[in-house]
Amino acid sequence: MEELPYALLSHCGGITGFPKPYQGIVQQHFRVVYYAEFLKNKHDFADKIQLVLVWWHKPHVDKGLLQSLPNLKVVSSGGVGVDHLDLQLISSFGVKVTNTPHVGNDPTADMGMALMLAAAKLIVQGSEIVSAMETQQFDHNVLVDDITEATLGIVGMGSIGYSVALRAHSFRMKIVYHNRRRRKEEEEKTVDATYCENIEDLLRQSDFVMLAVILTPETHKLIGENELRQMKPTATLINISRGKVVDQDALVEALQNGTIKAAALDVTYPEPLPRGHPLLTMKNVIVTPHVGNATDKTRRKVVERLVSNSVAVIRGLSVPDEITIEKLSC
């Protein structure tokens, strides 16, 4: 029987390790070596490892690791974003990089809608009022925001952004979007979306602005002081992309000064935020712990895609999820 190729993973279990329930999916195709074991016995594993499987950005793929794995063929990373990987460095070693796009579209879009609804309807604040010991009666003059027929601006109309638009269309929201490339006319018609060539046009008219872009040098701090000033004072910012897409200092100031009304964030920088950070204490902010695609069904699919991508690279087959610098810039 042919020996399975070797795969390097960071560690198993805990809050950042590879999940134990999914180990069997990998072990059907690979002999798994965890990083601590690799460090102790480099001479036994260095020449055998053909895959580095990156889970929650671990292990860190740097020059030293690449130099220590002469037969490495692929770095396969769970999730869509690859901002934690130096693609140019990895490519210089003749190693391919893959990710797992589209798998998490639906749960991440669900999360975006949940954050928008929670912010608009004051779900978190309302729950705190109901459970507070000092609450004797409710203020029935407190008003919440409409979602139905409100304007949603989607920044980044890729697969996740379009999944958000499909959901928002059911709420009869007016959808405007900004993207590197305009989507096909029939796709726009399906969700009644209007393209904004300039992000400023989107920001000025949106009641809710949802960020669904990948993190690149071009999208780093895409939303800063100037962009926040373009938004309505009644608008809410929702981020389901990456924390670094927003200038958080500028966001804090905008929320404190009433430049915008509220924010709902599934991602921040860093994660978690330092204890006592203003975003954690402001009443007009919701922060969740990066759980956009954290469902068992989705994570299982992610691992299956990681494995299938890696097997394809090792066998010299076509790899639809291969990531290159050129592909990211398209």
Side-chain angles (χ1 to χ4, degrees):
M1 184 177 178
E2 185 179 353
E3 185 179 28
L4 292 176
Y6 283 57
L8 178 66
L9 281 73
S10 62
H11 61 289
C12 180
I15 61 174
T16 60
F18 191 81
K20 292 181 180 180
Y22 312 143
Q23 282 185 106
I25 300 173
V26 181
Q27 290 169 338
Q28 289 177 15
H29 299 275
F30 293 94
R31 160 76 188 275
V32 173
V33 179
Y34 289 106
Y35 195 67
E37 182 184 7
F38 168 70
L39 291 178
K40 291 179 182 178
N41 302 286
K42 278 190 179 183
H43 59 283
D44 292 331
F45 300 123
D47 292 338
K48 297 179 180 179
I49 291 172
Q50 298 184 56
L51 160 68
V52 173
L53 196 158
V54 179
W55 191 264
W56 287 116
H57 300 187
K58 299 178 186 300
H60 180 55
V61 182
D62 56 14
K63 186 175 182 179
L65 181 61
L66 292 166
Q67 288 175 332
S68 69
L69 302 174
N71 294 313
L72 182 64
K73 289 184 170 61
V74 55
V75 172
S76 196
S77 181
V80 180
V82 290
D83 46 281
H84 53 288
L85 298 174
D86 187 333
L87 298 184
Q88 190 166 2
L89 172 67
I90 296 170
S91 177
S92 72
F93 280 82
V95 175
K96 295 182 182 296
V97 175
T98 72
N99 65 344
T100 58
H102 312 305
V103 177
N105 291 354
D106 286 333
T108 305
D110 289 346
M111 188 66 188
M113 294 299 293
L115 286 170
M116 180 167 61
L117 285 162
K121 303 304 180 185
L122 302 179
I123 299 296
V124 175
Q125 299 93 321
S127 178
E128 291 174 348
I129 290 170
V130 168
S131 58
M133 293 297 295
E134 63 271 20
T135 298
Q136 299 297 319
Q137 63 181 45
F138 300 145
D139 183 350
H140 295 293
N141 290 317
V142 170
L143 300 178
V144 297
D145 291 330
D146 286 316
I147 293 292
T148 301
E149 298 182 349
T151 299
L152 170 62
I154 301 174
V155 181
M157 187 77 108
S159 55
I160 292 174
Y162 195 74
S163 295
V164 170
L166 289 168
R167 288 155 172 76
H169 184 59
S170 299
F171 283 84
R172 304 198 307 275
M173 298 189 81
K174 177 184 176 183
I175 300 168
V176 295
Y177 76 98
H178 174 73
N179 204 41
R180 288 179 295 180
R181 296 186 307 276
R182 184 169 182 171
R183 295 196 73 105
K184 296 177 181 178
E185 184 177 353
E186 57 267 31
E187 293 173 333
E188 291 182 343
K189 287 183 177 178
T190 298
V191 294
D192 292 330
T194 301
Y195 178 64
C196 295
E197 186 173 355
N198 299 312
I199 192 172
E200 289 82 6
D201 293 338
L202 177 150
L203 297 173
R204 291 189 189 106
Q205 59 184 301
S206 298
D207 299 304
F208 301 91
V209 175
M210 192 172 303
L211 308 178
V213 298
I214 60 173
L215 178 60
T216 67
E218 291 72 31
T219 61
H220 180 253
K221 292 189 177 180
L222 177 67
I223 303 299
E225 181 182 358
N226 179 63
E227 289 73 27
L228 291 163
R229 282 204 307 265
Q230 304 298 318
M231 293 173 63
K232 295 179 180 180
T234 54
T236 296
L237 179 71
I238 302 127
N239 191 2
I240 55 172
S241 55
R242 287 290 186 269
K244 288 184 178 181
V245 170
V246 177
D247 182 336
Q248 287 185 166
D249 292 337
L251 176 60
V252 168
E253 185 173 349
L255 289 163
Q256 290 174 335
N257 296 341
T259 303
I260 66 171
K261 182 176 182 178
L265 316 169
D266 188 43
V267 289
T268 59
Y269 181 77
E271 292 177 354
L273 287 169
R275 301 302 83 186
H277 191 282
L279 289 174
L280 300 178
T281 59
M282 301 172 78
K283 293 295 184 181
N284 54 346
V285 179
I286 298 171
V287 182
T288 52
H290 200 154
V291 291
N293 67 358
T295 71
D296 176 67
K297 179 181 177 181
T298 300
R299 292 286 166 83
R300 193 170 296 275
K301 286 183 176 180
V302 166
V303 175
E304 290 170 349
R305 186 74 71 85
L306 285 170
V307 170
S308 62
N309 282 333
S310 304
V311 169
V313 172
I314 290 170
R315 293 180 179 174
L317 305 175
S318 175
V319 187
D321 296 329
E322 181 179 356
I323 287 292
T324 63
I325 296 173
E326 293 76 20
K327 187 174 180 180
L328 275 181
S329 61
C330 289

